[in-house]
Every structure is written in structure tokens, then in C-alpha cells.
Amino acid sequence: MAEVNPILPEQVKLLYGQLKLGAVASLINASILSLLLWEAVDPGELAAWYALVILVNVPRIQLGRYYKTAINRISSAVWLKWLLISNMASGAVWGVGAYFLFPADSIQHQLYLAFILAGMTAGAVPMYSALTSAYAAFMLPALLPFMLRILVSGPQSQLYMALLVLFFALVLLVSSRRINATIVENMQQRFSNQSLLVNLNTAHQQVADVNQKLRTKIEEVESAERHTRKANAILDAINQAQMRYLQNSELRDLFEELLGRLLELTDSEYGFIGQVLHKEDGQPYLKTYALTNISWDADTRDFYAGNAPQGLEFTNLKTLFGAVMTERSVVISNDPANDPRAGGLPPGHPPLHAFLGVPFMQAGEMVGMFGISNRPGGYDHSVVRELDPFLNTCTNLIQGERARSRQRETEAELTAIHSQIGEGIATLDIQGRFMSANPAVERMFGLAASELAGTALAELLNNDDAVAWRDFLESFSLGSDGAKSVDVRALRAGKSSEFPLEIMLNKVDLASGCRLIAVLRDVTERKKVERMKNEFVSTVSHELRTPLTSIRGSLGLLDGGAVDPGGEQGRKLIAMACSNSVRLGNLVNDLLDMEKIVSGGISYHCSNINVPQMLQAAVAANQSYASQFNVDMRLEETPSDLALWADAERVMQVLANLLSNAVKFSEAGSVVCLSAQPSGDSVRVEVRDHGRGIADDFVDKVFEKFTQAD
């Protein structure tokens, strides 16, 4: 069934994951307490209390099993209610025992009872702190009766002990609250980075497993003390590493500290922690994150100083650590000198008496390893078992760094794409204020993203359009989902100029609130194109209508018999119709050529062209047209060997257009000059006339399609 709070199911899952562990711990600790109090209290009462512990905790184990089979059939709120009742019952059993089994005449047994209660309530912190109320439901019924019994037991000194118990309970609640806050924060991050949080949750579960393993060995006092100290040191190192990693500390710094703690905990002399990478041929090699400085001369000291911070790479697989990578398993060698897997040591290398190499495995993939050396007495698999949480933490850190690296790459790609998009993309709050903007928006308004942040888009619009924009924004915010757009006039920085702006809005509901995604387009060019289109249609209509009118008039006169086709006037009409037909055909050809150029469909047939001959042909082809305007065409001196690679027909078409325009706008008796000169790897062809020229305000429109000055 659907859950309103997505974090609650995860919290309940964590709590139920610890339920069996808590019940078993209660049974074990109850057994230990019964043995310790056997001679100090009534055995019958002790047996009755122990039976009550069993009666409460066996159903708790069954509740945990039932949760696994029916997790999806019952809501998390119901599961939580049952858990709270279960925790309260378990805590109450311990509270009843603390009150009624209190050995008033034996300080020693009182201390036993206090120690067991403190251990139970403190040990429950990591188990039940996924939800503070779950921990409080267990801890308060367990400790408060004990505090009450201390108060009513007699001497005033007991008052201080009761206050100490109360203070201890408050400390546990605060610790539980802080752990709960950390867990909730981790769960929230899990929804944005699922793979990292899965790894962290796995590490958390494995830490809980280690706690369980440690608790089962409490009966062996001396061994328990040693393992507890070591486990606490490991957990402290793990917690510090995890917290610092969540605070974005450098991974190499974390592994340097972890390696130091590893050597200290295992009494090893030197070692390394590294990741396993692969060459192109699939061969594994080691790149260190942390490495003990065992340099033995000036060269190795310089080499270490220059390369260790970036990580040293080791590719020789005929070594003990190479065997870890090839065998993908733990390698223990307590006699390296006679181990066939060892490849020997370089001259001057410190002696190697014992070696332990352990791989970091994740889903069947070896992601890294550590190697440590020279532990007194050598290594065995018990050392590996003790370091199980350390291994998982190192694995999770490496996997987390990989995920973080992939995330950084993805964010960098998205940022690069976002910055390269030509259209403006911005995030607005529900009031239309900028929250983020890409570079296109910055260029559009002439403002930096930091200046845009918090600025209302309405402030960057023309006054009239600002009102229309606010009305549109209000209507859009209240309306249904889906993108909508509006056209407004925007102002550039300093409000020096206006430009047409199209705004397309879409609404996105996030956990932090509603956001508006705005796509901003400066439609100046589009408006210009639309205007040019209208002008183009008008110009073409005029250009087509003129020759068509002439042709229709001439043919109408001939067809109506008003003019004799064989007479002089008839021949003039026919010649006029033919001339206008040619003009109309040329115009249509120009339109078709222009369409081919725009669509990229025009084809060229290039060949080697002699430039002087081409210019002579152009003059000859246009001489008769120039004679109609009494204009002389002159070919200036051109190098005889000047040549170019081009489409001769297209070049002649360009020359014809240039020459005809030059002739058309030249005065009678003037000269139009045609010349060509080499210009680097190109040829510069010039058509020069002595006409009225082009007005300054029209120069920038010369090369636009179908434009003509008045």
C-alpha cells in the first residue's frame, strides 16, 4: 500500500531488522543476569522473571519473522505500533526485574544489575535509533523502575545514583536522537543517490552483525574485553570515516587514517590500501590509496614523496598481493621466503616475515584490497573475521566514491549541456523570481546569474507587458498541468533596449515545493524573418505581377484581333511578351536556385577555369545589354595564367547579375570595369561602376534575399 512518508517504511524496516537481535540479546543478558543474581535473590522470583523475559521476547522474534512475510500487506504505521508495543513490553520486563529483583543487601550484585541494564540500554541505541520513539519505548520502561527502586531503597547516597541513572537515560536519549537525525539524513540522501545509501545501509547492517557477534562472546570475560576494545576501535574508525566521507573529505585522507588504525589494531608493521583497476587487456593492477612509507634509500624516498600522494601503481602479479588479485581471495603467508607465490624483495627492502592480503568484493567484483605485514606470530582467518566491518566499510567507500565520481561526471555533462543550449532555461519560484539561469539567459538580459537570482522576471519586462506577465503567471499557477507560452517585450541590462521574448512555462512539483521551468527565447530573429517573409511575398508578388500583366495585355490584344500579329505593332507586342516571358522565367529560376541554396540541395560541377577567358566571356555575354544603356564594358589587364577551381556556370551567373546591376545603375556614356587579381589561395574578382552607389543605410541589407533599395 502507498506510504505518505517515504522515510517511515525504511525506518520501520531498519527497526524490524534489529528486532530479532534485540530479542536474542535480551534472552542472553537475562541468562547472564540470572546467573549473577542466583545467590542474591529468591530463585523462585528469578525463575518467574526469566520466564516472563522468554514470554515477551519469543513473540518478538516471531513478530520479526511475520514482518518478513507480510511486509507489503500491512502499512508501516501499523507495523510501527506493534513494534512500539513490543519494545515497551521488553523494556517493561527489564524494568520489573530491576525493581523486584533489586538485591538491596549486596552492593556487588547491585552493580551487576546496573551494568547489565546499562549495557542493554546502551546497546539498544544503534538498534532502535532509526526512530527515537522506538528506542524511548524500550529504554524508559527499562531504566525508570530501576531509578525508582534506588530512590526508595534507603540511604541519601542512593539519590545521587538515581540522578546518575536519570542523567544516563537523558544521554542515551540525546545519543539516540542524534543517531536518528543522522539516519534520517542518510535516508533522504538515499533517494537522490540510491546506490551509495544501499552501501551505507549494508555497512550499518554489518556493523549490527558485528555487535551481535561481540555480544555472544561476553561469557568469555578476558576475550570479551579484548574483542570489545578492538571492535570499538574499529567502529570508531569506521564511524569517523563515514562521517568525514559524508562531509566530502578526500578519500585518500580517509584511507591514510584507516590504514594507520588497521596497522595499530593488527599490530602490523606496514601495509597498504588500494583499489583494483584493469588494463585494456583485462589484466588487474593495484593503485594505492594509502601506503606506509618504507623507503630505504634516497631514491626510494624521492620516489615515494613524488608519487605516493597521487597513488602508486603496481602491475607485477607474481607477488603475494598479485596473488590476491588473481585468486580474488584472502592470501595468508606466514613464511613469505618459502612461499612460491612471493616474487622476492628488491635489495634494501625491509624484511617480510608475514603477509595478509584481503580483497574488497562487491557483487562478485573485486574493487580493491588491503595488505598488511609483519604481525608478531603471523596471521590467521580470525584476524580477517575481526576486520569484517572494516572490509565492508572500505568496500563501501570505494563504491561510494565510484558512484560519486559518476554523479560528478553526470552533473558536469548536464552542466555542460545546460551551458551550451542556445535557448535560455531558467528555474523560477511560484512568484516568478529567478532561482537559476543558464548562460543563454545571462547573455539575453546582460546580467550574471548571481544578479538574476531572486530577481522577479516582471522587473525585466516592459511596463505594460509586466502586468500581462503577472496575470499570465497567476493564471498558469492556478491552471492545469502542461506547458504554456506567452510573448512579451523584455529589457536588456540598464533598460537600454527592448527585445521580443517568448516565455514557455512548465510546472514541476518537487519535495521542496513547486518550481516553474521557463524556456526563454529571444525571438528578434524570428520576428525579423517573419517581416522578411512578408516583404519577400510582397516583392515577389510585385515582380511576378508586372511581367504577367504585360504578357496578358499583349496576348489579349492579339487574341482579340485589335492588332495584326503580322504587322509591325503585332510583332512589337509579341517581342514584348517574349521578353517578359524570359524575365518571368529568370525570376522563377532565381527562386528555385534560392530554394536549393536554402535547403542545401544545389549541386556544383567544378572544373579548372582560366580566369581571363572567363571574364572575356562574361563581357561578351553582357555587351548587348550594356549597349541598351549606352554603357561601355571594359576588361582590365588580368594575369594570363590566373586560374581557379569552381563551377563555371554558377560563376558566370554571379558575374551576369553583378554586371547587369552595374550597367542598370550607370549613367549613359560611363564605363563598367571588370578585373581579377590573385588573393592568397583565392581569386578576387571586381565589378566597378560609376553610378549613384548604395545608400549607407542599405549596405547591411545588400546580401539579404529579394531586397532592393528604393
Side-chain angles (χ1 to χ4, degrees), residues 97 124 304 311 350 359 381 442 449 462 517 609 617 690 706:
Y304 179 89
H381 284 282
E442 298 180 64
N462 173 284
I517 306 301
I609 303 172
H690 300 83
F706 301 103

Side-chain angles (χ1 to χ4, degrees), residues 269-531:
E269 187 176 346
Y270 55 85
F272 65 84
I273 300 175
Q275 61 176 325
V276 174
L277 304 174
H278 293 83
K279 301 178 184 177
E280 293 182 358
D281 59 1
Q283 282 285 91
Y285 68 94
L286 178 71
K287 185 169 184 178
T288 60
Y289 278 121
L291 177 68
T292 305
N293 186 356
I294 55 171
S295 55
W296 54 89
D297 56 28
D299 290 339
T300 54
R301 282 193 292 272
D302 292 342
F303 180 78
Y304 179 89
N307 296 277
Q310 293 79 35
L312 297 176
E313 295 183 359
F314 298 94
T315 58
N316 183 9
L317 300 180
K318 295 181 180 180
T319 58
L320 290 174
F321 67 80
V324 178
M325 290 189 286
T326 54
E327 297 174 12
R328 297 160 60 87
S329 61
V330 175
V331 170
I332 298 176
S333 178
N334 292 321
D335 186 15
N338 297 310
D339 194 320
R341 297 171 295 182
L345 299 174
H349 191 285
L352 181 64
H353 303 301
F355 174 82
L356 170 63
V358 182
F360 303 148
M361 304 299 296
Q362 179 71 31
E365 178 189 3
M366 182 176 177
V367 298
M369 66 168 291
F370 77 74
I372 50 179
S373 302
N374 294 356
R375 179 177 185 256
Y379 300 95
D380 55 38
H381 284 282
S382 66
V383 177
V384 180
R385 289 192 294 271
E386 290 175 352
L387 296 173
D388 186 54
F390 180 89
L391 301 179
N392 288 301
T393 297
C394 291
T395 303
N396 292 336
L397 286 174
I398 293 175
Q399 287 295 85
E401 184 64 17
R402 289 185 175 183
R404 182 184 284 180
S405 177
R406 288 192 294 268
Q407 181 180 358
R408 284 195 295 264
E409 291 175 0
T410 301
E411 290 175 352
E413 290 176 0
L414 291 176
T415 300
I417 293 172
H418 195 242
S419 63
Q420 294 300 318
I421 293 176
E423 293 181 336
I425 298 179
T427 305
L428 310 176
D429 62 16
I430 201 66
Q431 284 79 34
R433 294 188 295 260
F434 281 98
M435 301 183 69
S436 66
N438 71 341
V441 177
E442 298 180 64
R443 293 190 296 270
M444 198 175 294
F445 291 103
L447 296 171
S450 59
E451 297 176 287
L452 288 170
T455 301
L457 179 55
E459 297 177 12
L460 304 177
L461 303 181
N462 173 284
N463 290 336
D464 294 336
D465 286 355
V467 176
W469 158 252
R470 291 190 183 96
D471 293 340
F472 171 80
L473 183 61
E474 181 179 359
S475 173
F476 178 82
S477 300
L478 299 175
S480 58
D481 294 338
K484 293 183 180 180
S485 62
V486 62
D487 288 339
V488 294
R489 289 168 295 170
L491 303 173
R492 303 196 190 278
K495 301 183 179 180
S496 57
S497 62
E498 292 185 359
F499 65 96
L501 179 68
E502 179 187 68
I503 306 173
M504 179 174 290
L505 281 186
N506 214 333
K507 190 187 304 180
V508 178
D509 291 320
L510 303 176
S512 57
C514 180
R515 296 289 182 268
L516 303 178
I517 306 301
V519 178
L520 309 177
R521 297 189 181 96
D522 182 345
V523 293
T524 301
E525 189 62 28
R526 190 182 74 186
K527 297 291 186 181
K528 180 180 178 182
V529 169
E530 290 176 354
R531 186 178 66 254

